Structure formats: C-alpha cells, structure tokens
Amino acid sequence: MKYILSFETSCDDTSVAVLNTDYEVLSNVVSTQKEHLEFGGVLPELASRMHMQNIMRLTQVALDKAGLEMSQIDALAVSVNPGLIGSLIVGLAFAKSMAWSLEVPLITVNHLLSHIFANFIEHRGKIESPFLALVVSGGHTELVHFISETEFEVVGKTLDDAAGETFDKSAILMGLDFPGGPIIDKLSKGGDKSFVKLPNPLPQKDNYNFSYSGMKTAIRTYLLDKDEDFIKEHIHDIAASVQDAIIQPLIKKTLRKARELKINQVLISGGVAANSALRHKMTHAAKRQGIEVFYPSLELCTDNAAMIAAAAIPKFKAGDFAELSVNADSTKGTRYL
Ligand code: KG4
Ligand code: ZN
C-alpha cells in the first residue's frame, strides 16, 4: 500500500492528512484559526503566521493518528492555488522541504479541484464520468463539466461575489458572526423563506453564470431601515429568505446544465456544500429528473487536507510530479495544473 501525506493552508484552516492510494483516510486533522473571529473576516498576514505555528505539530499528529512513521510516506501533496498567497507559501515551503529531505515526490493540487475530489473519498465506486460538479466555496462558485477525472471544462461561474461570500457578508449585515454560512443555515430552520423578496439573478435560460452582488445590495437595502429588535424578532425568516435566494440559482442552473449535457450525476462540493438546504433541495429536485447528487460528509466539505490527497491520487498514479522549484499563486478557478 502507498501513502500520501497532504497539506492544506490556503486560507484560515491548517490541515494535514494521510490517505492511502485507495482513497482511505488514515488521518485528517484540521485546526481552524479562531484568531480571525474578532475581525469579522480572515486577516491574511495573521493566517500565514498561524499556519507556521501549526503545521509541524499537526503533521506529527496526523502521522501518529495514521500509525505511520515519516519514512513510510510515499508522496507529499499540497494545495498551491487559489488562496491567500502567504498562506499557500507556508504549506508549499513545508511540503517542499519534506519532499527534499525524505526524497519522495511532491504533487501540487488546485484547491477547487480538491474540493470536487473530496467526493471520491466516500462515493468513489458510484461516480462515473461524465459528471457535472458545482464548487461553492468562500471565494468561488463554479460549474465544471468533467469528461473524465482529468479532463474538464468550467461551464459557468460567478461574475462577481461567490455564494459563500454572500452568506458571510449577509450574516455580517444581519449582525451575526463570521463565517456566516453555518449560522444562517442553523437560523433558517423553521423560518419563512418568502418573508423577504430578494432578486433572482441572471435567470436567462441559456446562461450558466451566477451573480450575487445585486442580491447583497438588496439585502443591505432591506436591512437599512430595520431596527435591531425587528431583525432579532424575524431572524429565522430573514435567514431563511437569504439562504433560499442564494441556493435557488445554484440548484436551477446546475440541474438545467446537467439536463442540457444529458448528464445524470452531479457532485456538489466546497464549504457551501455543507449547507443543509442546498444538500436536501438539490437532491430532491434532481431525483425528480433522474439525476443523482453526491456530496461529501460535512467535515470533508469545508477546507481539509484529505481532499488534497484525494486530488493527488490520479497524479500519483500517473507519475505527474512537481519540480521543487514550483511556486504557489492566487489565480482563481478550477484547474488541473
Ligand atoms: O471551502 P471553504 O471551507 O473555504 C474556501 O475555500 O473558501 O468554504 C468556506 C465557505 C464560507 O463562506 C462559509 O460561510 C461557507 O463555506 N459555509 C457554509 C456552510 N458551512 C460553511 N455556507 C452555508 N451553509 C453552511 N452550512
Ligand atoms: Zn475551500
């Protein structure tokens, strides 16, 4: 059996995992940096410093949990884009130095592709190409058509804000904490989603892009003349309205594109794929159209290193390794590299 040790440091989660090349997770440790909470968003410089503090200790914990010595690792995998450049560099520099000292290959991975590959950890035997993947994270909203596991094309994306960003910004406007997605998800339970009328962006039939900036403005405008007591009293209804407005375009456009491409498998992934309404409503709507929906378990939706190793497995098998001179970059989008 071959083992991959992987690192994820693209934003505010430091994570290290060990997977074998059958996609079995031996360990997946994640440390979410709570230091950003008081700032209502992620401070890039602080994130890099926290990654530096965390990464060595987490690597030891991941190896111990997997019951492996460093010398038993066959390859290292690391996310190199997109993300906060300083944070990516911490993971990459660490992975490079380990690859050099252990004399094992280094595999570089695109963070968004790895979100999609998180699905292979739990559903590998069931997923067959071609399939359509929706990646919804803090900074990205993309619809990706996979012809095979290694050949794919981005067929739709957000023209402005990402779905996760819209959850987070709406939450701040509602006086809630960061990140707002999970909070709005919880508050929405039992709320009336038709309480606030919000715009349905880019509804055109032949358009597979998304746009959330108008929605964000509509939420801000709606809340402008509402006092704190009103917001508190109706927080469940407002949360449910915001959540529904964000997820409906994702469901409609993904399923319409799947029908157009005659694809009967859809993979959802990224932090927003943890949203309970998105998981439930997408599955329900897809079922009526004969389309099967896959999503990772909650801990594999948000940033973690197990998904980085999962995306590295096809590259490991193909011998597609990176030079130690490779650089990190913050270029947006799903890419093979
Ligand atoms: O993929 P991710 O962990 O990090 C990035 O690569 O950006 O995604 C983080 C995003 C945040 O915007 C967060 O609010 C959102 O995922 N998120 C959720 C939920 N859990 C996390 N959004 C809606 N509902 C959730 N349950
Ligand atoms: Zn992510």
Side-chain angles (χ1 to χ4, degrees), residues 17-311:
V18 180
L19 261 71
N20 66 29
T21 47
D22 280 341
Y23 292 84
E24 252 177 84
V25 181
L26 279 75
S27 63
N28 184 28
V29 289
V30 184
S31 166
T32 301
Q33 303 171 2
K34 301 274 180 265
E35 289 75 7
H36 304 282
L37 267 176
E38 61 179 293
F39 303 105
V42 179
L43 283 194
E45 176 62 23
L46 182 60
S48 315
R49 286 167 190 256
M50 297 309 299
H51 287 309
M52 282 176 68
Q53 273 185 28
N54 291 336
I55 197 160
M56 256 166 91
R57 182 179 52 85
L58 292 184
T59 301
Q60 196 54 58
V61 175
L63 285 167
D64 290 347
K65 279 196 171 176
L68 294 175
E69 301 286 331
M70 241 179 239
S71 57
Q72 290 173 279
I73 296 300
D74 298 287
L76 299 166
V78 62
S79 55
V80 292
N81 64 32
L84 302 172
I85 190 70
S87 292
L88 289 166
I89 286 172
V90 176
L92 179 59
F94 192 75
K96 276 183 184 179
S97 53
M98 269 189 89
W100 179 78
S101 59
L102 296 173
E103 295 181 23
V104 294
L106 176 71
I107 302 167
T108 50
V109 172
N110 170 269
H111 178 88
L112 297 171
L113 187 65
S114 76
H115 270 301
I116 297 168
F117 269 77
N119 279 289
F120 284 82
I121 295 173
E122 292 156 322
H123 314 298
R124 191 167 55 105
K126 292 175 259 167
I127 300 169
E128 272 178 48
S129 309
F131 58 85
L132 191 62
L134 172 71
V135 201
V136 268
S137 71
H140 286 78
T141 304
E142 289 196 352
L143 204 48
V144 192
H145 175 204
F146 280 77
I147 294 114
S148 73
E149 280 179 30
T150 52
E151 288 169 284
F152 54 87
E153 187 193 358
V154 176
V155 290
K157 61 182 177 180
T158 183
L159 303 176
D160 37 59
D161 291 351
E165 199 176 355
T166 312
F167 269 111
D168 297 339
K169 288 180 177 169
S170 305
I172 299 286
L173 291 170
M174 291 159 68
L176 306 170
D177 281 340
F178 176 88
I183 304 171
I184 291 183
D185 188 352
K186 255 199 209 133
L187 288 173
S188 294
K189 305 242 157 40
D192 173 10
K193 62 181 171 39
S194 57
F195 188 75
V196 190
K197 295 270 168 297
L198 291 166
N200 173 17
L202 306 180
Q204 298 93 325
K205 280 217 154 31
D206 56 350
N207 184 308
Y208 295 104
N209 290 325
F210 306 93
S211 168
Y212 284 106
S213 67
M215 191 179 296
K216 191 183 62 196
T217 308
I219 296 164
R220 178 181 285 125
T221 310
Y222 170 78
L223 291 169
L224 216 56
D225 60 351
K226 310 288 181 296
D227 59 34
E228 235 176 79
D229 287 345
F230 178 90
I231 296 175
K232 261 197 192 140
E233 190 184 333
H234 297 286
I235 196 78
H236 296 285
D237 298 330
I238 299 170
S241 305
V242 167
Q243 175 173 275
D244 201 60
I246 298 173
I247 68 169
Q248 282 307 333
L250 301 175
I251 297 171
K252 286 193 185 125
K253 294 205 173 183
T254 304
L255 296 181
R256 202 197 300 145
K257 190 70 190 173
R259 285 199 303 274
E260 184 198 286
L261 295 167
K262 297 190 170 41
I263 279 178
N264 57 16
Q265 289 194 330
V266 164
L267 276 53
I268 55 175
S269 56
V272 181
N275 185 268
S276 55
L278 176 63
R279 291 156 90 93
H280 175 76
K281 289 185 179 176
M282 178 83 93
T283 306
H284 193 70
K287 203 172 175 189
R288 284 192 310 229
Q289 301 172 26
I291 297 170
E292 203 176 358
V293 175
F294 296 95
Y295 44 79
S297 57
L298 288 179
E299 64 271 22
L300 293 177
C301 280
T302 43
D303 290 349
N304 66 88
M307 68 184 193
I308 304 299

